[in-house]
């Protein structure tokens, strides 16, 4: 089993040395700081496919990314019944990521063919307990029990309704495994959050019918892939889908934010306690879907960059902890394969070339950092004036997609203590054929604050700060009017600085 000699933990401090009290304090500090950081999904065990940890960690750190989410497979750890050993290729990336100060969402998953039942809940729980005991002094910020049970093993083996509405044998069996493994993890590690990825309607049906299985579970992770939509819209919500799934998991606008708000509300109602929400996978592939259209759409690099940044801002505004982009590097080089092209950078065979999304995420993190508070009540108003074509020009009216209801200007605000950040864009598809409409931000009776920087997060272009004088005196003379802000598909970051 691989091990490190220096054992450097969060911010250069060892989490293996010193008293239990010191290690506990370091873990609490680690967990607190990572809640507001950006993560990426990785596959470091696949070295032959370009996932070389020594090459990729510097690129991850250079982007300001602080979290990796990855699995260590059960069947690789327990190759003989009752004998557990983390293979060196896995231990190496855990140690290197921890030594670099990154947080790790540790995914525990999938079956083991050495058992008559590859999904044996008792056997899985013992593997999970071993993993927690072995890794609790590393930079684990969450143990994630399983990944997409309807796509991996449970639904296929046991059957039942896909959404988990009753009757659903796979749901019952999954909840049995969840309860046993969460209990065993908690016995080994009292501090690190335990989360699970169940699926979106599946979670709602589980929490309604199997709430006791979540006794030792601290949160749930969703995978809010928009599939073919812009990031504000997810393929849930509305009467027809809710009827099909047996539960409503989003509002009638199919909004990203409502999924997480409704998740926490539903969990707190059934569990009678607070419940964390994560997004441990979401992304946009840059493949060419013209030959093989299917589940995901293929996006231009510019669109991928805009949509990933918008997703991250939406996630933080929705109260999501440690959102993780899928994934950091392209898994292959086939331009017609969707799974090969989700990365922020290209595959090793293409020299890890950075996509536009890599730079856009780096710019966003440069603005946000890891210390901020989302402002639910906007301190100022974004105004974008748009006029519909005259009735005689009805033929100029753009076609509307009935499922795509969020097409209005979006603005999200964050307080960083010494400054205020605003992120603005036009909801809906990125477009690109026409000029972006210009908007203005009006701040009534502002504090001693002024806009000092405006930047397009996709292109990196620094935009001019244009202030318009108020047209009236009195209380209206106290307002700040920031004018000529392009409000299109690319998110614009605006930094306001206090004059203190």
């Amino acid at each position: 089993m691989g091990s490190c000699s220096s054992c450097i933990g969060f911010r250069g401090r060892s989490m293996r040395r010193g008293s239990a009290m010191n290690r506990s304090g370091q873990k609490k500090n680690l967990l607190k700081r990572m809640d507001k950081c950006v993560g990426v999904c990785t596959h470091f065990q696949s070295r032959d496919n370009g996932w070389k940890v020594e090459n990729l960690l510097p690129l991850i750190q250079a982007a300001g990314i602080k979290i990796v989410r990855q699995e260590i497979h059960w069947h690789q750890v327990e190759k003989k019944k009752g004998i557990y050993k983390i293979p060196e290729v896995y231990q190496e990336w855990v140690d290197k990521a921890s030594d670099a100060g990154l947080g790790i969402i540790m995914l525990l998953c999938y079956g083991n063919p050495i058992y008559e039942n590859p999904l044996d809940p008792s056997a899985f729980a013992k593997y999970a307990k071993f993993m927690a005991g072995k890794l609790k002094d590393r930079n684990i910020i969450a143990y994630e029990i399983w990944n997409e049970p309807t796509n991996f093993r449970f639904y296929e083996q046991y059957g039942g309704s896909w959404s988990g509405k009753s009757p659903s044998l796979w749901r019952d069996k999954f909840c049995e495994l969840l309860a046993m493994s969460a209990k065993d993890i908690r016995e080994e590690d009292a501090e690190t959050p335990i989360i699970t990825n169940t699926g979106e309607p599946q979670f709602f049906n589980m929490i309604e019918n199997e709430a006791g299985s979540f006794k030792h579970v601290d949160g749930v992770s969703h995978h809010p892939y928009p599939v073919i939509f812009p990031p504000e819209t997810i393929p849930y919500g509305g009467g027809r889908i809710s009827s099909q799934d047996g539960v409503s998991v989003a509002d009638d606008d199919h909004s990203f934010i409502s999924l997480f708000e409704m998740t926490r509300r539903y969990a707190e109602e059934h569990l009678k306690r607070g419940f964390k929400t994560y997004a441990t996978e979401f992304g946009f592939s840059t493949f060419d879907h013209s030959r093989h259209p299917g589940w995901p759409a293929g996006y231009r690099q510019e669109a991928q960059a805009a949509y990933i940044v918008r997703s991250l801002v939406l996630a933080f505004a929705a109260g999501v902890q440690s959102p993780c982009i899928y994934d950091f590097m392209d898994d292959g080089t086939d331009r017609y394969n969707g799974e090969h092209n989700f990365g922020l950078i290209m595959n090793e065979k293409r020299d890890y070339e950075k996509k536009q999304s890599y730079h856009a995420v780096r710019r966003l993190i440069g603005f946000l950092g890891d210390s901020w508070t989302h402002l639910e009540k906007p301190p100022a108003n974004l105004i974008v004036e748009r006029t519909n074509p005259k009735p005689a020009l009805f033929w100029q009216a753009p076609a509307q997609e009935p499922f795509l209801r969020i097409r209005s200007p979006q603005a999200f605000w964050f307080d960083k203590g010494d400054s205020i950040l605003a992120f603005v864009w036009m909801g809906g598809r990125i477009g690109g054929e026409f000029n972006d409409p210009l908007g203005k931000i009006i701040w009534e009776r502002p504090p001693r604050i002024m806009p000092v920087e405006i930047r397009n997060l996709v292109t990196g272009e620094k935009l001019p700060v244009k202030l318009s004088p108020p047209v009236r005196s009195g209380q209206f003379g106290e307002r700040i009017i920031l004018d000529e802000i392009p409000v299109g598909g690319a998110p614009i970051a605006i930094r306001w600085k206090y004059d203190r």
Side-chain angles (χ1 to χ4, degrees):
M1 184 182 307
S3 62
C4 66
S5 58
S6 58
C7 298
I8 302 299
F10 183 55
R11 295 207 163 187
R13 293 192 297 271
S14 171
M15 292 187 63
R16 290 185 180 178
R17 299 191 185 114
S19 68
M21 184 176 295
N22 287 340
R23 291 197 303 271
S24 176
Q26 291 175 25
K27 174 57 75 79
K28 289 178 181 177
N29 187 31
L30 172 71
L31 295 174
K32 183 178 179 181
R33 293 299 296 268
M34 291 296 169
D35 283 355
K36 297 181 178 182
C37 294
V38 174
V40 287
C41 298
T42 56
H43 307 287
F44 288 129
Q45 78 278 10
S46 300
R47 292 184 59 85
D48 291 344
N49 197 32
W51 285 98
K52 296 181 173 63
V53 64
E54 65 274 16
N55 294 340
L56 296 175
L57 275 186
L59 294 171
I60 290 173
Q61 292 178 285
I65 294 164
K66 299 288 182 67
I67 299 164
V68 294
R69 182 252 191 182
Q70 183 172 327
E71 69 281 358
I72 295 184
H73 296 100
W74 175 19
H75 74 276
Q76 294 288 354
V77 173
E78 186 186 6
K79 296 185 176 181
K80 293 183 179 180
K81 289 184 180 181
I83 300 176
Y84 305 95
K85 182 178 180 181
I86 298 176
E88 186 174 353
V89 68
Y90 289 100
Q91 189 69 52
E92 179 188 23
W93 74 256
V94 170
D95 289 339
K96 287 184 180 297
S98 293
D99 293 351
L102 299 180
I104 299 169
I105 296 178
M106 178 57 64
L107 175 58
L108 307 174
C109 61
Y110 307 145
N112 196 327
I114 66 174
Y115 288 93
E116 182 178 358
N117 176 5
L119 304 181
D120 184 300
S122 177
F124 182 88
K126 292 175 183 176
Y127 143 77
K129 185 173 185 176
F130 165 79
M131 294 294 289
K134 191 68 179 174
L135 299 176
K136 65 182 177 182
D137 290 336
R138 298 275 68 192
N139 282 15
I140 310 301
I141 63 169
Y143 296 101
E144 185 176 18
I145 299 174
W146 215 265
N147 177 67
E148 300 178 358
T150 54
N151 289 334
F152 297 99
R153 308 298 178 88
F154 273 88
Y155 181 57
E156 178 184 8
Q157 178 166 319
Y158 292 114
S161 66
W162 173 85
S163 68
K165 67 180 179 180
S166 297
S168 184
L169 181 59
W170 81 260
R171 182 200 73 196
D172 298 339
K173 292 294 187 180
F174 178 82
C175 286
E176 180 184 4
L177 178 143
L178 175 65
M180 296 177 68
S181 51
K183 178 178 179 294
D184 282 5
I185 292 172
R186 185 56 71 227
E187 289 177 356
E188 286 292 331
D189 187 338
E191 295 178 313
T192 305
I194 300 170
I195 64 176
T196 182
N197 176 249
T198 60
E200 287 70 39
Q202 294 83 358
F203 170 74
F204 283 71
N205 283 309
M206 285 180 189
I207 209 75
E208 181 175 337
N209 295 281
E210 310 270 2
S213 300
F214 289 79
K215 179 179 179 180
H216 299 286
V217 178
D218 301 295
V220 68
S221 63
H222 288 318
H223 292 174
Y225 289 97
V227 188
I228 62 170
F229 299 118
E232 299 83 19
T233 300
I234 56 173
Y236 296 107
R240 182 174 178 181
I241 291 177
S242 300
S243 175
Q244 172 182 293
D245 291 343
V247 65
S248 178
V249 307
D251 60 21
D252 288 343
D253 286 336
H254 320 289
S255 71
F256 177 107
I257 287 179
S258 71
L259 167 65
F260 293 95
E261 292 177 341
M262 292 173 69
T263 295
R264 286 192 296 272
R265 188 163 61 244
Y266 210 72
E268 291 166 7
E269 175 186 338
H270 287 81
L271 298 177
K272 311 302 181 186
R273 59 180 169 89
F275 204 69
K276 303 174 186 288
T277 51
Y278 295 75
T280 53
E281 280 188 31
F282 63 89
F284 302 84
S285 177
T286 55
F287 82 118
D288 183 344
H289 68 233
S290 60
R291 294 187 184 179
H292 305 289
W295 172 70
Y299 296 87
R300 292 180 290 115
Q301 280 202 32
E302 179 187 2
Q304 184 202 38
Y307 287 173
I308 286 177
V309 168
R310 282 159 57 172
S311 295
L312 288 169
V313 174
L314 288 165
F316 285 133
V320 171
Q321 297 185 191
S322 312
C324 293
I325 303 160
Y326 188 87
D327 50 6
F328 184 67
M329 184 191 76
D330 282 350
D331 283 320
T333 59
D334 183 353
R335 65 177 298 175
Y336 299 105
N337 186 321
E339 292 293 335
H340 278 200
N341 293 277
F342 273 97
L344 300 180
I345 66 173
M346 295 186 185
N347 190 268
E348 181 187 36
K349 293 178 181 178
R350 293 181 176 170
D351 299 320
Y352 300 127
E353 180 181 339
K354 300 179 181 73
K355 299 183 187 179
Q356 287 180 258
S357 55
Y358 176 92
H359 300 290
V361 169
R362 177 178 54 79
R363 294 183 191 107
L364 172 67
I365 295 172
F367 273 87
L368 266 180
D370 59 8
S371 180
W372 48 262
T373 301
H374 172 242
L375 299 176
E376 294 188 12
K377 184 178 180 180
N381 296 317
L382 172 65
I383 298 172
V384 181
E385 297 181 4
R386 294 186 295 177
T387 304
N388 293 325
K390 296 178 180 180
L393 300 177
F394 66 92
W395 47 272
Q396 289 188 4
Q400 303 294 341
E401 299 178 66
F403 202 89
L404 198 58
R405 297 186 178 184
I406 304 175
R407 299 183 292 268
S408 58
Q410 307 289 301
F412 298 92
W413 296 78
F414 297 83
D415 186 347
K416 286 188 60 64
D418 63 343
S419 59
I420 299 288
L421 300 176
F423 300 98
V424 304
W425 65 83
M426 186 66 69
R429 300 199 180 279
I430 189 171
E433 184 177 1
F434 304 120
N435 289 323
D436 293 332
L438 297 178
K440 64 180 68 176
I441 290 177
I442 299 180
W443 197 323
E444 305 284 1
R445 298 187 176 182
R448 294 175 63 86
I449 197 168
M450 291 296 289
V452 296
E453 182 181 5
I454 306 175
R455 193 170 296 274
N456 183 315
L457 292 178
V458 174
T459 65
E461 179 186 3
K462 187 174 182 179
L463 304 173
V465 176
K466 295 185 178 181
L467 296 174
S468 294
V471 295
R472 296 169 63 183
S473 59
Q475 71 179 58
F476 296 102
E478 300 176 16
R479 59 173 46 166
I480 294 175
I481 303 175
L482 179 58
D483 217 341
E484 296 190 20
I485 306 165
V487 184
I492 303 297
I494 305 167
R495 190 191 310 275
W496 303 70
K497 194 78 172 177
Y498 286 107
D499 180 15
R500 291 172 176 167

